[in-house]
Amino acid sequence: MEWQAPAVVLDARPLGESGAVVSLLTEAHGRHAGLAKGGASRAQAPVWQRGNLVEARWVARLPDQLGALTGELVHPAAALAMEDPLALALLSAACAVAEGALPEREPHPRCFHGMVSLIARLGEGAGPLLPDYVRWEAELLGKLGYGLDLARCAATGTAEDLAWVSPRTGRAVSAAAGEPWAARLLPLPRYLLGQWGGEGPSDWLSGLRLTGHFLSRDVFGDRPGGLPQARAMLADRVGTLDARL
């Protein structure tokens, strides 16, 4: 059994003296793990940093084995994000969510391409990428069977002036219909409706809280520790930016 493909490094855990069990996300093979011999060594550890894009090769005698993994660095996203705390937080959050949410060896090509797009543009600054990151999480929820219904108001059926999301059903609610229950509803940022204008830390945080609510409840609700710490830290960092304004 063998494959070779571009992959995003999601996680790498040391094993033995210098080995590492590496978790990758690929287009055709989904989330896939392998043993990188020497993966924790000084020479190889920079390759297997979380968020890096690599050209990976996996080989095993039987399909259900862990298999041996080798790789060449294509894009050093982890190193490039080190100088920007928000970019590093976004990169870590995306990897942690994908690692914890996606079923092993089940293809999710759109999730893979969405991650690659985020990684490739991190050098432009993390702030403008946060709406895309929230959209990536919303699409991930949909692929896992927990999609948000943002097409029409759950109460009136209108597609106009949608401003809220029900935390119970994941359905949109218009500003007028939701006003009496605003304190119980989740704000719906315009960028999730394909609309633009006014994005900033407050809008980024609203989106992170929205997708984070459903990730916490539906995807990570029965997992030890719940929502990954890296994802919570991203929301905290954006919340700090919002509080400064």
Side-chain angles (χ1 to χ4, degrees):
M1 305 300 298
E2 178 179 348
W3 56 257
Q4 181 171 339
V8 177
V9 179
L10 299 181
D11 195 22
R13 302 184 301 277
L15 181 68
E17 293 186 4
S18 62
V21 176
V22 179
S23 178
L24 303 172
L25 181 61
T26 71
E27 178 181 17
H29 307 283
R31 182 173 65 85
H32 204 294
L35 174 61
K37 294 182 179 179
S41 66
R42 182 176 298 181
Q44 287 197 42
V47 175
W48 304 115
Q49 292 293 309
R50 176 178 281 187
N52 280 350
L53 183 63
V54 301
E55 182 70 19
R57 181 172 180 263
W58 178 85
V59 180
R61 189 169 59 86
L62 298 172
D64 58 349
Q65 290 180 324
L66 178 62
L69 187 64
T70 56
E72 294 183 8
L73 184 61
V74 174
H75 181 67
L80 295 174
M82 282 294 181
E83 300 301 319
D84 183 347
L86 184 58
L88 186 59
L90 188 154
L91 186 63
S92 298
C95 291
V97 168
E99 167 69 10
L102 291 173
E104 191 172 10
R105 302 191 182 189
E106 182 178 306
H108 286 280
R110 287 183 63 88
C111 293
F112 169 76
H113 287 295
M115 278 199 74
V116 171
S117 176
L118 289 169
I119 289 168
R121 293 180 291 143
L122 272 179
E124 304 170 8
L129 291 182
L130 276 162
D132 288 335
Y133 175 76
V134 173
R135 282 190 285 265
W136 177 81
E137 285 194 339
E139 184 168 6
L140 177 65
L141 282 165
K143 293 298 182 183
L144 295 174
Y146 306 109
L148 305 177
D149 183 357
L150 307 180
R152 295 184 177 277
C153 174
T156 65
T158 182
E160 304 297 325
D161 200 21
L162 302 177
W164 311 96
V165 174
S166 165
R168 185 176 63 85
T169 66
R171 298 182 65 186
V173 180
S174 68
E179 184 176 359
W181 298 277
R184 303 180 186 178
L185 300 173
L186 297 166
L188 173 58
R190 294 171 61 189
Y191 55 79
L192 280 179
L193 299 171
Q195 303 170 7
W196 296 92
E199 283 83 8
S202 178
D203 297 305
W204 304 340
L205 186 59
S206 292
L208 290 170
R209 286 174 172 167
L210 174 60
T211 53
H213 169 80
F214 293 101
L215 284 169
S216 296
R217 188 190 71 181
D218 298 326
V219 179
F220 294 96
D222 58 351
R223 315 278 180 90
L227 192 68
Q229 184 178 10
R231 173 55 170 76
M233 291 177 65
L234 173 62
D236 288 345
R237 185 167 290 279
V238 173
T240 299
L241 290 176
D242 185 39
R244 292 174 182 171
L245 298 181

